[in-house]
Amino acid sequence: MNRQQRPITDRELKAWLAAGPVDRGVGEGLTFVASTTAAQAGKASWILRFRLNGRFKEKVLGRYPELSCPPFFAFQGPMVSIET
């Protein structure tokens, strides 16, 4: 099922951080993650979680607030495989 998701706003990201530690999937393996200390400092990471050759992998795509709302939110096509 390919459902349409609305873009996440910077205001929402700040609210998540103000609430404490975050580990929140926002769709298609993209996750917004912050420890307690990082959340208090207003910082987090954008992490892509995926499987490659049957193994679970994570790749940090960028840091918040330097990368507020990733440009890949605009991508509407299917996910592609990642070759390493």
Side-chain angles (χ1 to χ4, degrees), residues 6-27 30-35 38-47 62-73:
R6 66 176 179 76
I8 295 170
T9 66
D10 195 52
R11 185 180 203 170
E12 286 176 285
L13 298 177
K14 287 179 182 176
W16 293 350
L17 291 172
V22 182
D23 189 343
R24 190 158 190 173
V26 296
L30 182 62
T31 310
F32 188 72
V33 179
S35 65
Q40 289 172 348
K43 297 181 185 256
S45 297
W46 289 106
I47 297 176
R63 308 282 184 201
Y64 177 88
E66 290 81 25
L67 184 58
S68 179
C69 291
F72 33 83
F73 279 140

Side-chain angles (χ1 to χ4, degrees), residues 1 6-7 26 34 40 42-43 48-49 57 59-60 64 70 73 75 84:
M1 182 196 311
R6 66 176 179 76
V26 296
Q40 289 172 348
K43 297 181 185 256
L48 181 63
R49 293 180 172 162
K57 302 282 185 174
K59 180 69 177 169
V60 176
Y64 177 88
F73 279 140
F75 179 71
T84 56

